[in-house]
């Protein structure tokens, strides 16, 4: 297993190097002039030239990329001109908000999708099965921004049971001690129950909005895998031996049915990180998504490159974790 993990870690290096190039190129092809964003449209040409020189934008692109790699090797992600802070500091402040929202969305998606997929497969062609498949089709078809606006309209404007979709915490609630940056966890650790209630009520709608698409995809995957496994010979043998249906499903069939689902869960984590850009904008959530939107609007190169690197690293680390779990469940994988 150790050799397998080391080999997978080595595979990550060229992927991350490729992401640095993609992030660098993507930032440079964006429309807009960073120097103009910093100095303003009325700035004279000599001021703009001086700012471009300070940013290193007067150098050839190859030199800029090599300097970027050199700074990256030293752990320097650059400086965000539109916030006035180092990119590493901005990411350290905003990443916990996005990570908390993404993890909660994934937990919500899996906690609903896996039982729904199992029941749908074991009660095939029933009313629940048809309803579950229809719900999955609708859930996977709705755009995130439209769903977010509908949730705000229904639960905030009409029913008045949700707090205003602005931020992670009410303005009159004192924040918890910043142990991790994740307000729900920090509220539990510090015993700040007012902050826990406020943060919990404000994260429900964004998490529901972000998890709906993944919920639909995962439930269809679990249903399909369970139907395939339930038709295997060893399941029929277990039933022929007189085992209870509950034992056949949960002890013999479910483990094998969840193996392909595990890979999809890892991929969905990356999808949710990407989908958080839209969700955070709709719900005014102060995470990486809003930071990415602001950085693109200001044509701020360093934060865009830093966000690409962080997203790629989290995505690669999640895939590594999934592969390790996959190898633990199926020992044949680690010897390939």
């Amino acid at each position: 297993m150790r050799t397998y993990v080391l080999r997978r870690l080595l595979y990550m290096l060229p992927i991350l190097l490729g992401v640095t190039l993609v992030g660098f190129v993507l930032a440079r092809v964006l429309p807009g002039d960073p120097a103009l964003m910093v100095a303003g449209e009325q700035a004279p040409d000599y001021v703009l030239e001086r700012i471009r020189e300070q940013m290193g934008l007067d150098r050839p692109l190859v030199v800029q990329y090599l300097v970027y790699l050199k700074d990256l090797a030293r752990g320097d992600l650059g400086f965000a001109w539109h916030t006035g802070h180092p990119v590493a500091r901005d990411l350290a402040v905003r990443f916990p908000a996005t990570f908390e929202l993404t993890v909660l969305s994934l937990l919500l998606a899996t906690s609903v999708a896996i039982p729904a997929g199992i029941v749908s497969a074991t009660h095939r062609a029933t009313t629940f099965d048809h309803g579950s498949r229809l719900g999955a089709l609708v859930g996977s078809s709705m755009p995130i921004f439209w769903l977010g606006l509908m949730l705000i309209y229904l639960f905030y404007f009409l029913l008045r049971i949700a707090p205003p979709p602005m931020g992670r915490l009410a303005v009159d609630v004192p924040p918890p001690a910043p142990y991790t940056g994740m307000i729900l966890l920090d509220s539990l650790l510090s015993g700040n129950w007012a902050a826990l209630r406020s943060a919990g009520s404000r994260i429900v709608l964004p998490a529901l909005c972000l998890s709906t698409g993944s919920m639909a995809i995962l439930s269809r995957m679990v249903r399909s895998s369970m139907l395939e496994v339930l038709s295997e010979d060893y399941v029929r043998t277990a039933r022929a031996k007189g085992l209870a249906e509950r034992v056949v499903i949960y002890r013999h069939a479910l483990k094998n049915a969840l193996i392909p689902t595990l890979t999809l869960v890892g991929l969905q984590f990356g999808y949710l990180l990407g989908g958080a850009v839209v969700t955070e904008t709709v719900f005014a959530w102060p995470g990486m998504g809003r930071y990415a939107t602001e950085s693109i609007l200001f044509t701020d190169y360093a934060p865009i490159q830093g966000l690409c690197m962080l997203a790629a690293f989290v995505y690669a680390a999640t895939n590594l974790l999934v592969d390790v779990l996959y190898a633990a469940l199926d020992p044949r994988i680690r010897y390939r």
Side-chain angles (χ1 to χ4, degrees):
M1 178 62 83
R2 184 180 300 173
T3 305
Y4 176 76
V5 173
L6 287 175
R7 192 166 66 240
R8 295 289 294 117
L9 284 172
L10 289 176
Y11 289 162
M12 288 174 59
L13 295 179
I15 295 173
L16 293 178
L17 183 61
V19 169
T20 63
L21 181 59
V22 172
F24 180 85
V25 173
L26 284 177
R28 264 59 181 184
V29 298
L30 286 174
D33 185 348
L36 203 62
M37 293 292 180
V38 173
E41 295 185 358
Q42 304 301 324
D45 290 341
Y46 75 90
V47 173
L48 295 176
E49 290 299 326
R50 186 171 300 172
I51 292 175
R52 290 192 189 101
E53 186 178 344
Q54 290 176 351
M55 290 179 166
L57 300 178
D58 57 331
R59 302 175 182 177
L61 285 177
V62 175
V63 176
Q64 292 182 40
Y65 179 63
L66 292 177
V67 171
Y68 166 56
L69 288 182
K70 182 181 176 183
D71 292 341
L72 200 60
R74 292 188 289 111
D76 183 4
L77 296 177
F79 191 82
W81 293 95
H82 78 280
T83 64
H85 300 132
V87 173
R89 178 188 180 278
D90 285 343
L91 292 180
V93 171
R94 294 172 182 260
F95 179 72
T98 299
F99 186 75
E100 183 177 52
L101 177 60
T102 303
V103 169
L104 191 64
S105 301
L106 191 62
L107 289 175
L108 181 60
T110 52
S111 62
V112 173
I114 292 178
I118 294 172
V119 175
S120 186
T122 54
H123 296 75
R124 190 178 182 183
T126 61
T127 304
F128 181 88
D129 184 28
H130 293 310
S132 175
R133 293 165 63 190
L134 179 62
L137 179 63
V138 173
S140 60
S141 305
M142 286 190 292
I144 290 180
F145 73 93
W146 181 86
L147 177 61
L149 293 175
M150 289 300 102
L151 290 174
I152 292 172
Y153 179 73
L154 178 63
F155 292 102
Y156 174 62
F157 285 103
L158 287 184
L159 301 179
R160 299 286 181 183
I161 59 175
M166 298 176 63
R168 306 168 66 191
L169 204 61
V171 292
D172 58 344
V173 174
Y179 296 119
T180 65
M182 293 180 279
I183 290 184
L184 290 176
L185 184 57
D186 289 347
S187 301
L188 284 173
L189 293 176
S190 60
N192 189 339
W193 309 121
L196 182 64
R197 285 192 297 273
S198 177
S201 64
R202 285 171 180 265
I203 202 172
V204 170
L205 290 187
L208 181 61
C209 175
L210 189 56
S211 65
T212 302
S214 299
M215 204 181 293
I217 294 171
L218 287 173
S219 68
R220 293 167 67 176
M221 183 68 186
V222 173
R223 179 184 182 275
S224 174
S225 298
M226 278 296 292
L227 286 175
E228 185 177 343
V229 170
L230 289 174
S231 64
E232 296 285 343
D233 291 339
Y234 71 90
V235 173
R236 284 198 290 268
T237 302
R239 283 172 171 158
K241 288 166 61 178
L243 295 177
E245 187 66 14
R246 178 174 54 82
V247 175
V248 172
I249 293 173
Y250 292 102
R251 184 175 297 176
H252 294 276
L254 183 59
K255 179 180 177 182
N256 290 326
L258 288 183
I259 289 177
T261 307
L262 191 61
T263 304
L264 187 60
V265 169
L267 294 175
Q268 285 301 306
F269 187 79
Y271 164 78
L272 292 174
L273 273 179
V277 173
V278 179
T279 305
E280 290 180 3
T281 303
V282 172
F283 288 92
W285 194 260
M288 289 201 310
R290 287 192 66 194
Y291 188 54
T293 305
E294 294 165 1
S295 301
I296 292 172
L297 291 175
F298 282 95
T299 325
D300 205 344
Y301 291 165
I304 296 171
Q305 294 166 175
L307 284 163
C308 287
M309 275 300 300
L310 180 60
F313 178 77
V314 173
Y315 197 76
T318 305
N319 280 331
L320 173 64
L321 177 62
V322 169
D323 287 345
V324 171
L325 292 175
Y326 207 109
L329 291 172
D330 188 352
R332 294 173 300 176
I333 300 294
R334 72 186 75 163
Y335 297 112
R336 291 179 183 174

